[in-house]
Amino acid sequence: MAPTPGGNRRTRIHVVSDVHGNARDLARAGDGADALICLGDLVLFLDYADHSRGIFPDLFGTENADRLVELRTARRFTEAREFGARLWSGVGADRLGVVEKAVRKQYAELFAAFPTPTYATYGNVDMPPLWAEYAGPGTTVLDGERVEIGGRVFGFVGGGLRTPMRTPYEISDEEYAAKVEAVGEVDVLCTHIPPEVPDLVYDTVARRFERGSRALLDAIRRTRPRYALFGHVHQPLVRRMRIGATECVNVGHFAGSGRPWTLEW
C-alpha cells in the first residue's frame, strides 16, 4: 500500500510509459508528485526515430537498423525476421546472453532513476524475470494486482498480446484476460496496452494498428473505472477519449517527450 497523504491536501500522481532508455528524464519524472506510475517498456531495443540508438544498432550498426525499420514499417514481417536471423547468426550460440547483458545494463540505470515511491508494471519489450533484481525497496512491481494510492484503488496489468514482432513479453489473449479479471473493479486501471478501439491503437507514424485488448475494453465497459491509463502506441490517432463513464488516456511516449502525465484529486 502507498502511504495516504495526510490532511485534506490533494494527491498528485505522475504517470509515464514507453520509457525506452530515457533515464535522464525519468530521474525527474516524479518531481512534485506523491508517487510515480510507470506502465512499462523500459528497454530500448531500437529507436524508430533515431536508428542509431538501442541494443540492435549497438550490435549490428545503424545501416542494418535502417533496413530492419524499413521492413517492419512496410509490414514485411517475414522478411524482417529472416533479415534479423541472418544478423543474429553471426553472434553465435549465446544470443540470449548477449541480449540479457545489454538489457541488464539499461535496467541498472533505469531502476536507479525511479523515485520513491514508484509503482510499475511490465511492457511488451521488458524482461519480467530480471525486474526483481533491480527494483529497490521504493519500487513496487504489480501485474494483475491492485494497490491503494491516496485513497483510490489502482489496478495494474502488464505485458502485451502476441504479434508478428515477437517482443519478449507477449502473452496469450487468455492469460491477459485472466489478469484483467484478477484486478476487478478499481478507480484507475493501469495497463501497458490500450483497449481494442481503432482510434486508440492506430499509430500514425508507424502506419499500423497495434494490438489492443478486447478483454480490457470489456472490463472498462463493465466495471466503469474513473480512468484507464496506458501507453504502447507511440503516436496514436487519438490520445484521449471516453468509453462510457471512463476517461481513457494514452499517457504518452515518454522516451520522446520526457514529460509525465499528471493525475490529481
Side-chain angles (χ1 to χ4, degrees):
M1 290 285 184
T4 302
N8 296 317
R9 74 179 183 85
R10 296 179 67 80
T11 299
R12 181 183 178 96
I13 305 296
H14 288 176
V15 190
V16 301
S17 186
D18 300 271
V19 175
H20 293 301
N22 189 350
R24 181 191 62 187
D25 290 323
L26 186 62
R28 300 191 293 264
D31 289 356
D34 294 289
L36 178 72
I37 287 174
C38 178
L39 303 183
D41 272 11
L42 297 183
V43 173
L44 178 61
F45 189 74
L46 175 58
D47 189 335
Y48 277 60
D50 179 354
H51 303 169
S52 69
R53 298 181 63 246
I55 294 172
F56 188 91
D58 286 349
L59 291 172
F60 304 117
T62 304
E63 288 187 8
N64 285 322
D66 290 340
R67 178 59 176 162
L68 184 66
V69 171
E70 178 186 359
L71 291 171
R72 286 181 171 179
T73 302
R75 303 186 64 80
R76 293 157 61 183
F77 295 117
T78 299
E79 290 178 67
R81 285 195 295 271
E82 292 172 350
F83 176 69
R86 289 195 297 273
L87 294 174
W88 283 107
S89 66
V91 173
D94 194 27
R95 169 180 173 174
L96 291 179
V98 169
V99 172
E100 183 175 314
K101 182 180 179 180
V103 170
R104 284 181 176 277
K105 181 180 179 182
Q106 292 188 14
Y107 277 167
E109 184 178 14
L110 290 159
F111 276 92
F114 277 142
T116 298
T118 292
Y119 301 90
T121 197
Y122 316 111
N124 60 291
V125 303
D126 285 310
M127 298 178 70
L130 300 182
W131 278 38
E133 295 184 41
Y134 294 96
T139 298
T140 302
V141 180
L142 300 146
D143 190 15
E145 299 165 283
R146 301 146 58 102
V147 69
E148 184 180 324
I149 307 173
R152 289 190 177 179
V153 178
F154 289 68
F156 291 78
V157 179
L161 298 175
R162 288 177 181 153
T163 72
M165 305 286 279
R166 298 183 182 178
T167 51
Y169 192 41
E170 294 181 355
I171 59 178
S172 70
D173 290 60
E174 293 76 18
E175 185 179 352
Y176 193 89
K179 293 195 295 184
V180 173
E181 183 67 22
V183 165
E185 294 187 14
V186 295
D187 297 305
V188 184
L189 185 53
C190 300
T191 61
H192 177 67
I193 63 173
E196 190 182 72
V197 177
D199 286 355
L200 296 177
V201 300
Y202 185 74
D203 191 306
T204 60
V205 174
R207 301 194 302 276
R208 64 170 180 258
F209 290 96
E210 303 288 356
R211 282 215 66 189
S213 169
R214 166 59 67 172
L216 183 57
L217 177 60
D218 291 344
I220 289 169
R221 288 172 170 164
R222 184 178 69 255
T223 65
R224 298 164 62 87
R226 295 172 187 248
Y227 291 93
L229 309 179
F230 48 86
H232 186 56
V233 183
H234 293 178
Q235 297 90 14
L237 186 63
V238 173
R239 291 195 177 275
R240 191 165 183 157
M241 69 183 299
R242 294 195 71 84
I243 298 176
T246 303
E247 189 75 15
C248 298
V249 183
N250 184 319
V251 300
H253 178 213
F254 185 77
S257 73
R259 297 187 302 274
W261 185 81
T262 299
L263 178 62
E264 193 170 14
W265 66 93

